[in-house]
Amino acid sequence: MTTATSERTEPFELARQAAAHIAEQSGVEAHDIALVLGSGWGEAADLLGETTCTIMAAGIPGFSAPSVAGHVGTIRSVLLPDGRRALILGARSHFYEGKGVASVVHGVRTAAAAGAKIMVLTNGCGGLNENWSPGTPVLISDHINLTATSPLEGATFVDLTDLYSQRIRDIARSVDPSLDDGVYAQFTGPHYETPAEVRMAKSMGADLVGMSTALEAIAARHAGMEVFGISLVTNLAAGISPAALSHQEVIEAGQAAGPRISRLLTDIIGKL
């Protein structure tokens, strides 16, 4: 589907079309859980269970090929050991790509239309806590949306008081009691935050900074999904880190931590 056609189609109808395409291609009528695997988390897709279908995202209504190094461009249907079905969204659109907020949350809305009741959002991010070295996973307890936008339009009032599931965070801690909580602040990107912006975020209560997740979480809650968020600290944020920031650093930190955090996520999913 062309971009022009996608823009003319109402977002929720487009999500239904995408879900129908996935069901047809995968032979799976409905999925139970959906995951967006951000930087460093990709190996979990192979550990969760048996991949029964892989679809190129660019051929699904509303999706496009990823424009960020380190992200895959596929949607996978995975059969979990307990018989449930997981939908792995490897084609994440970021706000800074300029495709609009509807594109950013299209994957989440597609997952909801495909039947998923749980949305797992992962990312690689900058850490504001000096005790969190690169490679540290942190549970997201809340977020600060600094994008100055929302995936919701009109008089769509959605309570975000308990947006990030306490139930699932408790399960995560039963797998790894050492996991910390943190508040995630989503900036627009694609530039990294300045030291002053990091200080601002910290004064507002943020522990983590990045360029994804918050908008997706809002859309997931609006769709009635239970939301679980977990970040991988890939670097200390600007002004805290003594070194200059780079996307290569993010990729390398994700690769180094990948096997460990992917196993962690797999064990958490197995207990949901």
Side-chain angles (χ1 to χ4, degrees):
M1 178 173 288
T2 65
T3 301
T5 303
S6 298
E7 290 175 348
R8 289 196 301 269
T9 305
E10 190 270 335
F12 295 97
E13 174 58 28
L14 189 61
R16 287 189 287 270
Q17 292 176 11
H21 182 95
I22 291 169
E24 179 182 2
Q25 293 294 311
S26 67
V28 178
E29 183 176 346
H31 288 79
D32 303 289
I33 182 171
L35 301 92
V36 177
L37 299 180
S39 299
W41 298 93
E43 292 182 42
D46 295 322
L47 298 177
L48 285 168
E50 177 190 357
T51 296
T52 59
C53 181
T54 300
I55 309 169
M56 295 306 298
I60 303 173
F63 286 88
S64 58
S67 61
V68 182
H71 291 260
V72 298
T74 60
I75 307 293
R76 295 168 64 168
S77 179
V78 175
L79 177 62
L80 301 180
D82 62 6
R84 291 178 299 162
R85 284 281 179 172
L87 190 65
I88 311 295
L89 302 169
R92 180 182 237 164
S93 289
H94 292 78
F95 186 70
Y96 57 73
E97 294 178 47
K99 300 174 184 176
V101 68
S103 177
V104 172
V105 302
H106 178 61
V108 169
R109 287 173 172 164
T110 296
K117 303 302 182 185
I118 297 175
M119 187 74 239
V120 176
L121 299 170
T122 70
N123 61 61
C125 69
L128 279 61
N129 185 332
E130 295 183 17
N131 293 321
W132 295 339
S133 59
T136 300
V138 180
L139 303 174
I140 301 177
S141 59
D142 204 346
H143 78 231
I144 301 170
N145 176 12
L146 297 176
T147 67
T149 190
S150 170
L152 311 182
E153 298 180 359
T156 307
F157 306 117
V158 178
D159 179 30
L160 302 180
T161 302
D162 58 349
L163 174 55
Y164 295 91
S165 172
Q166 182 66 58
R167 180 187 77 89
I168 301 181
R169 279 185 282 143
D170 289 343
I171 290 173
R173 284 208 180 85
S174 74
V175 174
D176 183 354
S178 71
L179 288 168
D180 282 332
D181 273 345
V183 175
Y184 180 93
Q186 179 177 353
F187 284 80
T188 60
H191 52 275
Y192 290 109
E193 305 78 24
T194 68
E197 288 169 338
V198 169
R199 291 195 300 273
M200 175 194 73
K202 189 172 185 178
S203 71
M204 296 170 71
D207 304 292
L208 308 159
V209 293
M211 306 174 194
S212 68
T213 303
L215 295 173
E216 295 163 317
I218 295 168
R221 166 52 62 86
H222 177 238
M225 305 171 83
E226 186 176 16
V227 181
F228 173 58
I230 185 167
S231 294
L232 170 68
V233 175
T234 57
N235 55 273
L236 292 176
I240 299 175
S241 171
L245 305 184
S246 72
H247 186 58
Q248 184 61 35
E249 176 186 23
V250 172
I251 293 175
E252 290 175 356
Q255 290 174 339
R260 178 172 53 85
I261 63 171
S262 294
R263 172 50 61 188
L264 168 66
L265 184 60
T266 299
D267 290 344
I268 295 170
I269 299 303
K271 289 194 170 189
L272 294 185

